[in-house]
Amino acid sequence: MEYKYQLPESEIPRFFYNIMADMPNKPLPPLHPGTRQPITPDLLEPLFPKELIQQEVSTERFIEIPNEVREIYAKWRPTPLHRARGLEKLLDTPARIYFKNEGVSPAGSHKPNTAVAQAFYNKASGVKRIATETGAGQWGSALSYGCQLFGLECEVYMVRVSYNQKPYRKIMMNTFGAQVYPSPSDRTEFGRKILKESPDSSGSLGIAISEAIERAASDPDAHYSLGSVLNHVLLHQTIIGQEAVKQMEQAGHMPDVVIAPFGGGSNFAGLAFPFLHLNFTQGQKIRFVAVEPSSCPKLTQGSFLYDFGDSAGMTPLLPMYTLGHDFVPSAIHAGGLRYHGAGTLVSQLLKDGFIEAVAQDQAHCFAAGLDFIRSEGIIPAPEATHAIASVIDEAIKCREEGVGRNILFNLSGHGYFDMGAYSDFMDGKLKDVAPDKKAMSESLKAIEKLQPEI
Amino acid sequence: MEYKYQLPESEIPRFFYNIMADMPNKPLPPLHPGTRQPITPDLLEPLFPKELIQQEVSTERFIEIPNEVREIYAKWRPTPLHRARGLEKLLDTPARIYFKNEGVSPAGSHKPNTAVAQAFYNKASGVKRIATETGAGQWGSALSYGCQLFGLECEVYMVRVSYNQKPYRKIMMNTFGAQVYPSPSDRTEFGRKILKESPDSSGSLGIAISEAIERAASDPDAHYSLGSVLNHVLLHQTIIGQEAVKQMEQAGHMPDVVIAPFGGGSNFAGLAFPFLHLNFTQGQKIRFVAVEPSSCPKLTQGSFLYDFGDSAGMTPLLPMYTLGHDFVPSAIHAGGLRYHGAGTLVSQLLKDGFIEAVAQDQAHCFAAGLDFIRSEGIIPAPEATHAIASVIDEAIKCREEGVGRNILFNLSGHGYFDMGAYSDFMDGKLKDVAPDKKAMSESLKAIEKLQPEI
């Protein structure tokens, strides 16, 4: 009876898979906020190395992974694919549940997959430091690790609510040599503006992104780095799904449904896109479910509009499902999912009906997480519990229908730094957080003026 | 260039390896504290299931692992063997450094190897609950996990200093369904006695063991379980070394030296014994180094005497290197190494010159841990940093001598719950803790009266 499927290091993918090549409708272009015209790549050069800008706009199906990056992946990749036999038994379901365990990476999530690649390209471009934001801290830890490997300095703006909830995440980044600041901070103009208006601001990913961009833009030796949303970030993550395709073949069960938590889209895309490639090219009929928190429901309740990627409006306008860049999500524990918008690629795929989305309540997710801990012995990050909640829903449906479908999900990270949240949940202190409908509607209204004339 | 060596699930060992069969001098027998005569196994029956008592005294070389236990091991075993190429580069050493990563287990250390086996045998014996002690929390987490799998209740007495240093470890045990109490507690006669004498007692493993034994002995539906020291515990851990022998063969490098942290002996024995078997039976000349904290130096400064395993004197008298069961080690962060004595098997092997021991200072260990984090991207538990400190010493010696030896060590657990300690170290707040020589000498003197007449 097998519990996990492992590949040798020689099976670490040699190419990133670019879904742009297979999409029937290509995504709309990013626009300059002043002219409302498509931006030219050179506008991004103060923030990103040229290689990454090329990847951002490339339509090549496969992009070669540099050897130096594959060598580092080999420290923890290929990650194992597990069969969750304990959870199946607990749920008494005929479903076969598989999960890809990205929690075994150095920073404890899927994020190092792109952090290492981004650090490599940035080092090659000659900059000395990178500024970035982080929500729950998974991305900040990953980039700290990547920068450390290539001798780059790393400056992290960490959403204040997560900074306070998870002091140990901050220390982890310090052990990797990074500087970490709670955001909004007094180190940037935008941070000071926010602090003046709301001294108690819990922060948001949008605000932290603005701060990091401001720092990078004002320092010729610095670049900016983003942990999700952008095309090149999702591209790097596709090594997850490429491995998983081979491992599901090993297991002898192609998935009927692929499920992943959804913040900006990177772990979802990482697992889903290589399977979606099979739908596009081999006529497979796999379902894909992106799971977002009900307190930040851009996929299920947002609008498909042009919006800024950050709160200050420093980025190009991106076509995305969004709640509006002014929307500040409730202080839920899944800090990595507290983002107002969805990446362009995933937004277009959702719009075109190739993927589905559902929203899950926080307390339901923690209950699912606890079921998983007790049946599988692995503590999932709060972000990952969103996938587990939907996996359990699907597995129960299988039981009720008497059908043994194959479910695959992304265990995007471990929850060792989230024990305080589990404690609150077990003590009955952690409640569902309803979305603030008025704030959503106001922030959506505020971006109507940003739309191009069609 | 390979970074790790993985075995398929079919290579999970089928037998525990019992070194007793190969030892030229068998260990001295445990004695009844009243009669000073060798105890009979039935004396242990209120505390342990018969199967484990048989394993404790067995001289069979190989003891079959139950299928139910191997099935659970398959959730995370075989664990990977890594080549620490990053650390080698940092140290500019010709040494080849390998480590077995036991931190990938459900509880984050090697402890589930025996916890699962012990929970299985206890369940089969018909008890309803198990009481135990824990130091840093690794053992308590592991037994909580094991009990959860077999539907047993679990009651954990956690050394107070660790309980306070690591609240998240306690919560982890709660997520696995266990009850956790800081020790000394007011739930036992012995705990109340200690609290009366020293209301601020930071506790010790010896005290916590006494509390757990007292609880188990007074409850017919309960057994007691120990996470190290005893023969059957070391026996279960030998699956680590059996896997590592095969993985080092894969790597093409048999170790010249095997290094592991030392608390009671279980992770050291687990990795070392199957290689020591090669010395005993195939004439190999592998060195074995047990690394203890300089604040609790039973191997390097203790005496080989009969002593109690716990502070209250509830256990049989065991022949061991000890600092005396009254010795309360300083409140270092490597809580798993704060034990006054060494297991009988390892003590005899040290006495007979088959293994070596060194003591390492706390601050030196954390510096080594930080080197490891920055070069390998894995955060080691404070216990594991003791091995790393000695690995670095050996690797530097290789560089100085211009000899490329093969070094293998046990990364016995991850340090995700120890970020506070790393923070203190980076802030310069964490100092070396010298052993309390007067307390050592007094506690050793106190056990002279326990020795049998020879």
Side-chain angles (χ1 to χ4, degrees):
Chain A
M1 202 145 75
E2 273 164 319
Y3 286 86
K4 53 194 178 325
Y5 300 87
Q6 274 168 336
L7 299 170
E9 283 177 23
S10 55
E11 296 279 6
I12 294 171
R14 297 181 180 275
F15 298 88
F16 299 123
Y17 163 61
N18 185 3
I19 200 164
M20 198 102 83
D22 288 327
M23 289 169 74
N25 297 322
K26 307 300 173 200
L28 300 171
L31 301 183
H32 189 286
T35 64
R36 309 283 163 91
Q37 294 299 312
I39 58 162
T40 49
D42 57 291
L43 261 178
L44 298 173
E45 284 179 18
L47 295 182
F48 300 103
K50 279 186 187 170
E51 288 263 17
L52 292 178
I53 297 171
Q54 280 165 16
Q55 291 180 3
E56 188 65 21
V57 298
S58 169
T59 54
E60 290 294 311
R61 183 168 282 108
F62 295 105
I63 295 175
E64 194 167 3
I65 303 175
N67 271 338
E68 295 88 335
V69 173
R70 283 187 83 240
E71 283 274 316
I72 293 168
Y73 287 158
K75 283 173 178 275
W76 75 94
R77 304 205 70 89
T79 59
L81 180 95
H82 296 252
R83 172 94 181 256
R85 293 187 188 273
L87 184 61
E88 290 172 15
K89 194 173 153 198
L90 179 76
L91 300 173
D92 189 23
T93 176
R96 286 168 290 270
I97 304 175
Y98 293 89
F99 61 95
K100 184 76 169 158
N101 188 356
E102 290 293 308
V104 301
S105 83
S109 78
H110 63 295
K111 296 288 188 188
N113 298 333
T114 184
V116 168
Q118 290 193 46
F120 168 79
Y121 292 119
N122 272 287
K123 179 70 179 183
S125 80
V127 294
K128 291 185 185 150
R129 67 189 65 88
I130 306 184
T132 196
E133 75 293 331
T134 196
Q138 299 272 23
W139 167 241
S141 312
L143 192 67
S144 305
Y145 169 68
C147 285
Q148 169 70 26
L149 289 171
F150 291 102
L152 292 164
E153 295 169 27
C154 186
E155 192 171 305
V156 181
Y157 291 84
M158 184 170 187
V159 177
R160 187 174 295 269
V161 57
S162 294
Y163 186 94
N164 292 335
Q165 277 171 349
K166 306 204 217 173
Y168 291 175
R169 265 285 169 199
K170 181 227 161 211
I171 301 169
M172 186 187 197
M173 294 182 240
N174 295 148
T175 68
F176 286 134
Q179 300 297 317
V180 187
Y181 306 98
S183 166
S185 79
D186 59 6
R187 294 173 55 83
T188 65
E189 210 175 299
F190 186 66
R192 288 187 292 270
K193 176 168 168 281
I194 298 280
L195 284 174
K196 201 172 162 192
E197 289 163 8
S198 331
D200 297 330
S201 168
S202 61
S204 72
L205 275 168
I207 295 169
I209 293 171
S210 295
E211 290 207 275
I213 292 180
E214 185 183 325
R215 291 288 295 181
S218 61
D219 177 351
D221 286 331
H223 271 157
Y224 165 73
S225 171
L226 190 68
S228 188
V229 179
L230 297 179
N231 299 352
H232 69 271
V233 181
L234 275 55
L235 176 80
H236 299 157
Q237 294 293 355
T238 58
I239 56 177
I240 302 173
Q242 291 182 66
E243 289 175 6
V245 167
K246 288 182 189 162
Q247 288 165 314
M248 291 299 284
E249 280 168 2
Q250 263 187 30
H253 290 130
M254 267 297 119
D256 295 297
V257 55
V258 173
I259 297 174
F262 195 94
S266 84
N267 94 79
F268 172 81
L271 182 62
F273 284 4
F275 286 98
L276 197 48
H277 174 66
L278 304 182
N279 278 13
F280 282 135
T281 60
Q282 297 181 16
Q284 298 255 12
K285 301 210 181 299
I286 302 165
R287 285 174 55 217
F288 299 91
V289 181
V291 191
E292 63 184 4
S294 58
S295 55
C296 189
K298 62 247 181 186
L299 298 177
T300 54
Q301 295 188 47
S303 299
F304 185 80
L305 290 170
Y306 269 99
D307 195 5
F308 290 113
D310 70 322
S311 297
M314 303 173 79
T315 69
L317 289 168
L318 301 170
M320 47 161 61
Y321 278 93
T322 180
L323 296 166
H325 63 274
D326 286 338
F327 182 76
V328 176
S330 314
I332 57 166
H333 282 280
L337 309 184
R338 293 179 70 243
Y339 184 65
H340 66 276
T344 295
L345 291 172
V346 181
S347 293
Q348 186 66 44
L349 290 164
L350 179 65
K351 187 161 182 285
D352 292 343
F354 294 113
I355 64 175
E356 308 163 30
V358 297
Q360 293 279 7
D361 287 332
Q362 173 163 261
H364 181 52
C365 292
F366 273 95
L370 213 55
D371 280 347
F372 189 74
I373 293 171
R374 293 187 177 171
S375 57
E376 292 297 323
I378 297 177
I379 297 176
E383 290 80 5
T385 64
H386 286 71
I388 298 170
S390 285
V391 166
I392 291 177
D393 292 349
E394 292 280 341
I396 289 174
K397 209 158 65 180
C398 286
R399 183 182 66 208
E400 289 168 354
E401 296 173 6
V403 183
R405 282 187 283 264
N406 304 320
I407 303 171
L408 168 64
F409 76 96
N410 204 356
L411 189 72
S412 53
H414 66 64
Y416 289 130
F417 293 102
D418 303 280
M419 300 314 297
Y422 279 102
S423 182
D424 284 351
F425 174 71
M426 289 187 290
D427 292 347
K429 289 184 206 156
L430 203 154
K431 301 286 177 239
D432 286 342
V433 186
D436 183 340
K437 297 230 177 205
K438 187 152 164 275
M440 272 171 21
S441 130
E442 279 171 14
S443 57
L444 275 174
K445 202 168 164 58
I447 62 169
E448 277 173 16
K449 63 175 188 295
L450 300 174
Q451 305 314 306
E453 291 175 27
I454 302 170
Chain B
M1 202 144 77
E2 271 164 319
Y3 285 86
K4 54 194 177 325
Y5 300 88
Q6 274 167 337
L7 299 170
E9 282 177 24
S10 56
E11 295 281 5
I12 293 171
R14 295 180 181 276
F15 297 88
F16 298 124
Y17 163 61
N18 185 4
I19 200 164
M20 197 102 84
D22 287 327
M23 288 169 75
N25 297 322
K26 306 299 174 201
L28 300 170
L31 301 183
H32 189 285
T35 63
R36 310 280 163 92
Q37 294 299 310
I39 58 161
T40 48
D42 57 290
L43 261 180
L44 298 173
E45 285 179 18
L47 295 183
F48 300 102
K50 279 187 187 171
E51 287 263 16
L52 291 178
I53 297 171
Q54 279 164 18
Q55 292 180 3
E56 188 65 21
V57 298
S58 169
T59 53
E60 290 292 313
R61 184 168 281 108
F62 295 104
I63 295 174
E64 193 166 4
I65 303 175
N67 270 337
E68 295 88 333
V69 172
R70 283 187 83 241
E71 283 274 318
I72 293 168
Y73 288 159
K75 284 174 179 273
W76 74 94
R77 303 205 71 88
T79 60
L81 180 94
H82 296 253
R83 172 95 182 255
R85 293 186 187 272
L87 185 61
E88 291 172 16
K89 195 174 152 196
L90 180 77
L91 299 173
D92 188 24
T93 177
R96 286 168 290 271
I97 304 175
Y98 293 89
F99 62 94
K100 184 75 169 159
N101 189 355
E102 290 293 308
V104 301
S105 82
S109 77
H110 63 294
K111 297 288 189 187
N113 298 334
T114 184
V116 168
Q118 290 192 46
F120 168 79
Y121 292 119
N122 272 287
K123 179 69 181 184
S125 81
V127 294
K128 291 185 185 149
R129 66 189 65 90
I130 306 184
T132 197
E133 76 293 332
T134 197
Q138 299 273 25
W139 169 242
S141 312
L143 192 67
S144 305
Y145 169 69
C147 285
Q148 169 70 26
L149 289 171
F150 290 103
L152 292 164
E153 293 168 29
C154 186
E155 190 170 308
V156 181
Y157 292 84
M158 183 171 188
V159 177
R160 188 174 294 268
V161 56
S162 294
Y163 187 93
N164 293 335
Q165 277 170 349
K166 307 204 219 175
Y168 291 174
R169 265 286 170 198
K170 180 224 162 214
I171 301 169
M172 186 187 196
M173 294 182 241
N174 295 149
T175 67
F176 287 134
Q179 299 297 318
V180 188
Y181 306 97
S183 165
S185 80
D186 60 5
R187 294 173 56 84
T188 67
E189 210 173 301
F190 186 65
R192 288 187 292 271
K193 177 168 168 281
I194 298 279
L195 284 175
K196 202 173 163 191
E197 290 164 9
S198 331
D200 297 330
S201 168
S202 61
S204 72
L205 275 169
I207 295 170
I209 292 172
S210 296
E211 289 207 276
I213 292 180
E214 185 183 325
R215 290 288 296 182
S218 61
D219 177 352
D221 285 330
H223 270 158
Y224 165 71
S225 173
L226 190 67
S228 188
V229 178
L230 297 179
N231 300 353
H232 69 272
V233 181
L234 276 55
L235 176 80
H236 300 157
Q237 294 293 355
T238 58
I239 56 178
I240 302 172
Q242 292 181 66
E243 290 175 7
V245 167
K246 288 182 189 161
Q247 288 165 313
M248 290 300 283
E249 280 167 2
Q250 262 186 31
H253 291 130
M254 266 296 119
D256 295 296
V257 54
V258 173
I259 297 174
F262 195 94
S266 83
N267 94 79
F268 172 81
L271 181 63
F273 284 4
F275 286 97
L276 197 48
H277 174 65
L278 304 181
N279 278 14
F280 283 135
T281 60
Q282 297 180 16
Q284 299 252 13
K285 302 212 179 300
I286 302 165
R287 285 173 57 216
F288 299 91
V289 181
V291 191
E292 64 185 3
S294 56
S295 55
C296 188
K298 62 244 179 187
L299 298 177
T300 55
Q301 296 189 47
S303 299
F304 186 81
L305 290 170
Y306 269 100
D307 195 5
F308 289 113
D310 69 321
S311 296
M314 301 173 82
T315 70
L317 289 166
L318 300 170
M320 47 161 61
Y321 278 94
T322 180
L323 296 166
H325 62 275
D326 286 337
F327 181 75
V328 176
S330 315
I332 57 165
H333 282 279
L337 309 184
R338 292 178 71 242
Y339 185 64
H340 66 275
T344 295
L345 291 172
V346 180
S347 292
Q348 187 66 44
L349 290 164
L350 180 64
K351 186 161 184 287
D352 292 342
F354 293 114
I355 63 175
E356 307 163 31
V358 297
Q360 294 280 6
D361 288 332
Q362 173 163 263
H364 181 52
C365 293
F366 273 96
L370 214 55
D371 279 347
F372 189 74
I373 293 171
R374 293 187 176 170
S375 56
E376 291 297 323
I378 297 177
I379 297 177
E383 290 79 5
T385 64
H386 287 70
I388 298 170
S390 285
V391 166
I392 291 177
D393 292 349
E394 292 280 341
I396 289 174
K397 208 158 66 181
C398 287
R399 183 181 67 206
E400 289 168 355
E401 296 173 5
V403 182
R405 282 186 283 265
N406 304 319
I407 303 171
L408 168 65
F409 77 95
N410 204 356
L411 188 72
S412 53
H414 67 64
Y416 289 130
F417 293 101
D418 302 279
M419 299 314 297
Y422 279 102
S423 181
D424 284 351
F425 174 71
M426 289 187 291
D427 292 346
K429 288 186 206 155
L430 203 154
K431 302 284 178 240
D432 287 341
V433 187
D436 183 340
K437 297 231 176 204
K438 184 152 167 274
M440 272 171 21
S441 127
E442 279 172 12
S443 58
L444 275 173
K445 203 168 162 60
I447 62 170
E448 278 174 16
K449 63 175 190 293
L450 299 175
Q451 305 314 307
E453 292 175 26
I454 302 171

